[in-house]
Amino acid sequence: MNRTMRVERLSVSGVRPGEIVVATGVAHPERGTVGSPAAPLLAAALGRGEPDPGGRRIRLHPMDGAAGTGDAVLVMASYLELDGRAVGLGAAAHADDRAAVDVCAELVAQWAGLLRSRRLLVAAPEPDCAGARAGVETILRAARESRREVPVYVYGRPIAAVDRIARLAEAGVAFTDDLDAVPDSSVVAFPPHGVPLPVRAEAAARGLGVVDTTCPLAALAHRDVEAYAHRGDTVVLMTGARDTAGEWVSVSQAPESVLTMRNAAQASDLQRFGVDPERLSLVVQTGIPVDDAAGMITALRDRYPRVRGQHYDALCYAATDRSAAVRSVAGAVDLTLVLGAADDPDAGHLEAEAAAGGRAVRRLAAAGDLAAAWLTGVNAIGVVPARSAPGALMPQVLDALAGLGPLSVTEREVRTAPRPAVDGAAPGFPAQPGGTVVDA
């Protein structure tokens, strides 16, 4: 790439005084059509004042430099891909506006200095677990089958990618936290993380049509909480440091018998609740990394050797696998980009996972947020989509980065699943009949 790099100025037309045009493509007199996927990055940089456009209007538009005549100056850099395609970036200003031409030259020099081949690793490209994906699809089928004649309501909101939630809204699905808001003739869907027992009871008493999309592993954890409490145990629900939507659902199964545990240190605090060491059980909340639960389980067993709990095959590994993929990618790159909204807790968790290795981490809510300073000396980039990232954001980021040099894109996922200990046992579920309570 370096041997085909060319920085030059071409005479073009179509640029008015008082504006700077960032080229979305250039008709080059020798190289033909020069693509410019990184053009949005340059326009966004000017919008942030990097460099300062001096109050001039910024516009994206293709430029024709093949004619060789015009009243504007296009400053551009280009190179040839291995297949001979020309790629580059450029900005133009009216020839009489020398200060604007200087801004274009500074802008192009800044971004042309970043042109190089790079590796890009996408970590856990699917932000939703299998239960969330299946649940949303089931609700969508119910909405289609109702043909809007019978409204479909979702009690609560599924923990799913923003695009999936948008699909539900487009299908006419309504969201509510109050079952009284659901008319008697309607259908109510329970989200993948489940609903409290009183909600189930009320829906049944009213004769509402119910679409239950509760994840099987979440449902199993709920049954275990209820069964352990029913036999007279205090149930220690291991929730970890992260608040999850399913936590209050698990507690609701037996609120008078459940104590939540967020870290290993809390094992020594349980005695103040007057727990009976002989009647203590544990349940791991779905949606938290199993690694987080492991330390809590060890601390609890050290203090209460008689504690009983779930079979490990019933644990949910989705959060564990996602965290492992993020840490693996972040440790192998120079910069990790977390795609997601500024106020998204999920993106915040991913940032923390990526930053654990001490490498640079940045959050992107839009492709244009990518700053040139972030890419200086960067040869490998990790990309992690959070649930708040629109589906279009990933290809926009990849396209823009591809405009800054040849890009090799790979994906990295981690998948953990129990290996059945008994012939015929389904992965992810205990081998015991009915998938009921199992002590470990």
Side-chain angles (χ1 to χ4, degrees), residues 38-299:
L41 302 184
L42 275 66
L46 285 173
R48 293 191 299 268
E50 304 169 3
D52 185 358
R56 295 171 180 84
R57 179 191 179 204
I58 302 164
R59 184 163 58 95
L60 286 158
H61 201 270
M63 305 298 300
D64 185 359
T69 58
D71 54 6
V73 177
L74 169 67
V75 184
M76 69 173 294
S78 65
Y79 65 92
L80 299 179
E81 292 271 18
L82 290 176
D83 60 5
R85 291 182 300 111
V87 180
L89 46 86
H94 197 276
D96 294 337
D97 190 347
R98 301 307 305 173
V101 173
D102 289 344
V103 170
C104 293
E106 182 180 352
L107 177 72
V108 171
Q110 182 183 46
W111 287 89
L114 302 173
L115 295 175
R116 64 173 64 187
S117 58
R118 289 184 176 86
R119 292 188 305 119
L120 192 144
L121 279 69
V122 180
E126 174 53 75
D128 293 337
C129 66
R133 298 196 300 270
V136 170
E137 291 303 319
T138 299
I139 297 170
L140 282 171
R141 283 197 300 273
R144 286 193 295 266
E145 291 170 1
S146 73
R147 299 175 183 174
R148 297 182 185 264
E149 296 170 3
V150 178
V152 174
Y153 291 78
V154 178
Y155 186 87
R157 182 174 288 260
I159 307 304
V162 63
D163 283 1
R164 285 195 168 89
I165 300 299
R167 288 175 61 199
L168 291 176
E170 291 168 1
V173 173
F175 302 95
T176 182
D177 293 320
D178 183 1
L179 212 57
D180 289 341
V182 181
D184 290 337
S185 60
S186 298
V187 174
V188 63
F190 298 157
H193 58 267
V195 298
L197 280 178
V199 174
R200 289 183 177 275
E202 183 181 347
R206 290 179 53 190
L208 295 175
V210 172
V211 177
D212 189 355
T213 74
T214 304
C215 168
L217 288 177
L220 182 57
H222 299 161
R223 291 197 298 271
D224 284 350
V225 169
E226 184 181 17
Y228 293 157
H230 182 73
R231 70 187 182 191
D233 285 6
T234 296
V235 182
V236 179
L237 179 67
M238 299 186 169
T239 61
R242 306 177 185 180
D243 291 330
T244 65
E247 177 183 329
W248 64 290
V249 178
S250 297
V251 172
S252 77
Q253 308 302 311
E256 71 288 345
S257 301
V258 177
L259 297 175
T260 58
M261 186 174 178
R262 297 197 177 277
N263 56 63
Q266 289 183 328
S268 60
D269 295 337
L270 296 181
Q271 59 187 5
R272 66 188 179 92
F273 295 101
V275 299
D276 182 349
E278 299 295 319
R279 306 195 70 82
L280 198 64
S281 292
L282 68 88
V283 171
V284 178
Q285 175 60 46
T286 53
I288 73 166
V290 172
D291 291 349
D292 292 355
M296 290 187 281
I297 292 173
T298 298

